[in-house]
């Protein structure tokens, strides 16, 4: 017969388990567990079995254990978890890929009815169609300003109706209507709200970033750094190519405006003296380059044309 632990012994066991998990795992998902039942939580635990462990508990107990463990081990990084333990939350310790774990957790959602007083997490729209309710229920729809008609002895909703908006409380009439229509508009499950990775804390939105997103963000950062460096004339690797080009332009402008010259500036000076020379040279070069491919194509056509043989003329029939 198993010995029933006292309340104090349960706290000690919970504290030891949390400290052991903090020592063995460096990645932790902080998840919101509102409206998540025990059976649903058990299914999530089974789905994550292997490299991940789900730990639920009271915030005050978790905060106390984390603080004491941080002091006893000298690892102050654990204290970054404390501000995240707000509301009905739990911890998922994992050694696997954080993104894959969050995707597995998101799969375990269960449909739920709209109960009175709940805050709607999404917009609830009642679709048009036959409700299966008898005509005596028409007055019920009229109270909610839902257009209906009687079709084959049942009430039919004519147009889609936005019954509840996201963030609004569910009223008794809305809850009763959705119950009559057998609509379970909400779905609940563990929702990842923060990610802890070896002392660093970041938003779960980071997990959705692709390699292309990271490259674009890096390119934007380099562009901003280059622009800032050019604006304040501070040399950086990102701005160096632009600075060299601008310096070359300045030197070239000085050479054009004065008697000073260098090989790269001579061609520019010649062009400024007589632009027509370059125009004539370009016009002569264009037909020459254009005729060469034409001649080559004609030669290729001649090569491709096969010579007619006796067999092609049909003389092989008389052999």
């Amino acid at each position: 017969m198993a010995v029933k632990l006292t309340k104090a012994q349960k706290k000690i066991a919970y504290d030891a388990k949390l400290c052991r998990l903090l020592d063995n795992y460096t990645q932790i998902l902080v998840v919101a567990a509102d409206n998540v039942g025990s059976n649903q939580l058990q299914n999530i635990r089974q789905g994550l079995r292997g490299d991940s462990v789900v730990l639920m508990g009271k915030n005050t107990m978790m905060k106390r254990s984390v603080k004491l463990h941080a002091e006893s081990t000298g690892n102050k990084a654990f204290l970054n978890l404390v501000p995240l333990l707000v509301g009905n939350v739990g911890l998922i310790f994992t050694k696997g890929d954080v993104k894959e774990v969050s995707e597995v957790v998101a799969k375990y959602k269960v449909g739920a009815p709209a109960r009175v007083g709940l805050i709607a997490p999404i917009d609830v729209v009642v679709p048009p169609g036959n409700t299966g309710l008898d005509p005596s229920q028409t007055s019920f729809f009229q109270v909610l300003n839902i257009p209906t008609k009687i079709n084959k002895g049942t009430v039919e909703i004519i147009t889609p109706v936005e019954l509840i908006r996201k963030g609004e409380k569910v009223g008794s009439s809305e809850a009763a209507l959705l119950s009559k229509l057998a609509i379970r508009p909400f779905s609940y499950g563990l929702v990842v709200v923060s990610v802890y990775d070896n002392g660093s804390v970041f938003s779960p939105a980071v997990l959705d970033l692709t390699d292309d997103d990271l490259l674009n963000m890096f390119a934007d950062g380099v562009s901003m750094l280059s622009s800032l460096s050019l604006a304040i004339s501070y040399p950086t690797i990102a701005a160096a190519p632009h600075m060299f080009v601008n310096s070359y332009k300045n030197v070239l402008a000085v050479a054009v405006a004065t008697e000073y010259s260098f090989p790269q500036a001579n061609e520019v000076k010649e062009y400024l003296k007589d632009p027509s020379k370059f125009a004539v040279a370009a016009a002569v070069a264009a037909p020459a380059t254009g005729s060469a491919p034409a001649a080559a194509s004609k030669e290729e056509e001649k090569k491709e044309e096969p010579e007619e043989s006796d067999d092609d003329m049909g003389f092989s029939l008389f052999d």
Side-chain angles (χ1 to χ4, degrees):
M1 183 177 178
V3 179
K4 188 175 181 180
L5 298 177
T6 64
K7 192 173 182 180
Q9 290 174 329
K10 288 181 179 179
K11 287 184 178 180
I12 294 172
Y14 182 88
D15 179 74
K17 182 178 181 179
L18 179 56
C19 293
R20 184 174 67 256
L21 291 172
L22 288 173
D23 289 335
N24 294 335
Y25 294 84
T26 59
Q27 298 179 135
I28 305 172
L29 299 178
V30 182
V31 293
D34 294 332
N35 303 302
V36 177
S38 57
N39 291 335
Q40 185 180 358
L41 196 59
Q42 184 63 26
N43 291 333
I44 294 173
R45 283 195 171 99
Q46 292 177 356
L48 294 174
R49 185 173 295 171
D51 294 333
S52 303
V53 178
V54 180
L55 182 67
M56 307 299 294
K58 293 183 179 180
N59 291 343
T60 52
M61 189 180 300
M62 287 193 288
K63 288 181 179 178
R64 175 181 174 277
S65 297
V66 171
K67 289 178 180 177
L68 292 176
H69 191 63
E71 291 178 2
S72 62
T73 59
N75 189 351
K76 301 300 180 182
F78 290 141
L79 297 177
N80 294 334
L81 280 171
V82 176
L84 307 178
L85 303 176
V86 178
N88 186 18
V89 297
L91 302 176
I92 299 179
F93 298 83
T94 182
K95 292 182 179 178
D97 184 85
V98 178
K99 180 176 175 59
E100 293 179 359
V101 173
S102 64
E103 290 174 351
V104 172
V105 171
K107 292 179 182 177
Y108 290 89
K109 287 189 176 182
V110 176
R115 296 188 179 90
V116 179
L118 283 178
I119 303 298
I122 58 172
D123 295 333
V124 179
V125 178
V126 178
N130 197 315
T131 64
L133 301 176
D134 59 82
S136 62
Q137 304 288 335
T138 305
S139 59
F140 188 80
F141 289 93
Q142 291 175 347
V143 172
L144 296 171
N145 296 320
I146 298 176
T148 60
K149 67 178 181 179
I150 306 300
N151 184 16
K152 297 180 180 180
T154 57
V155 179
E156 181 177 331
I157 299 175
I158 300 173
T159 58
V161 179
E162 187 177 21
L163 191 63
I164 309 171
R165 292 184 178 180
K166 181 179 179 180
E168 292 181 348
K169 280 189 177 182
V170 179
S172 57
S173 299
E174 291 85 353
L177 175 61
L178 293 171
S179 178
K180 287 179 180 290
L181 298 178
I183 296 176
R184 299 166 68 88
F186 305 144
S187 60
Y188 296 106
L190 295 181
V191 179
V192 180
V193 293
S194 297
V195 180
Y196 172 94
D197 189 351
N198 203 21
S200 301
V201 177
F202 52 88
S203 168
V206 175
L207 302 177
D208 297 327
L209 293 175
T210 63
D211 292 340
D212 291 337
D213 294 331
L214 295 175
L215 288 174
N216 291 334
M217 293 172 66
F218 178 77
D220 291 341
V222 172
S223 178
M224 293 178 63
L225 175 62
S226 177
S227 300
L228 178 62
S229 300
L230 291 173
I232 64 176
S233 299
Y234 183 83
T236 60
I237 295 177
H242 304 284
M243 289 182 168
F244 283 126
V245 171
N246 292 338
S247 299
Y248 173 74
K249 289 179 180 178
N250 293 334
V251 173
L252 188 61
V254 171
V256 171
T258 62
E259 295 298 327
Y260 175 77
S261 184
F262 54 93
Q264 288 78 6
N266 292 334
E267 187 175 354
V268 177
K269 288 186 175 184
E270 289 294 329
Y271 175 78
L272 293 176
K273 288 179 180 179
D274 188 4
S276 60
K277 292 182 180 180
F278 294 87
V280 172
V284 172
T289 55
S291 60
S297 62
K298 288 182 179 180
E299 291 180 1
E300 290 178 0
E301 289 178 1
K302 289 181 180 180
K303 291 180 181 179
E304 291 176 358
E305 290 181 359
E307 295 181 358
E308 293 184 349
S309 63
D310 292 343
D311 292 340
D312 295 333
M313 297 296 291
F315 293 118
S316 59
L317 298 174
F318 299 98
D319 292 344

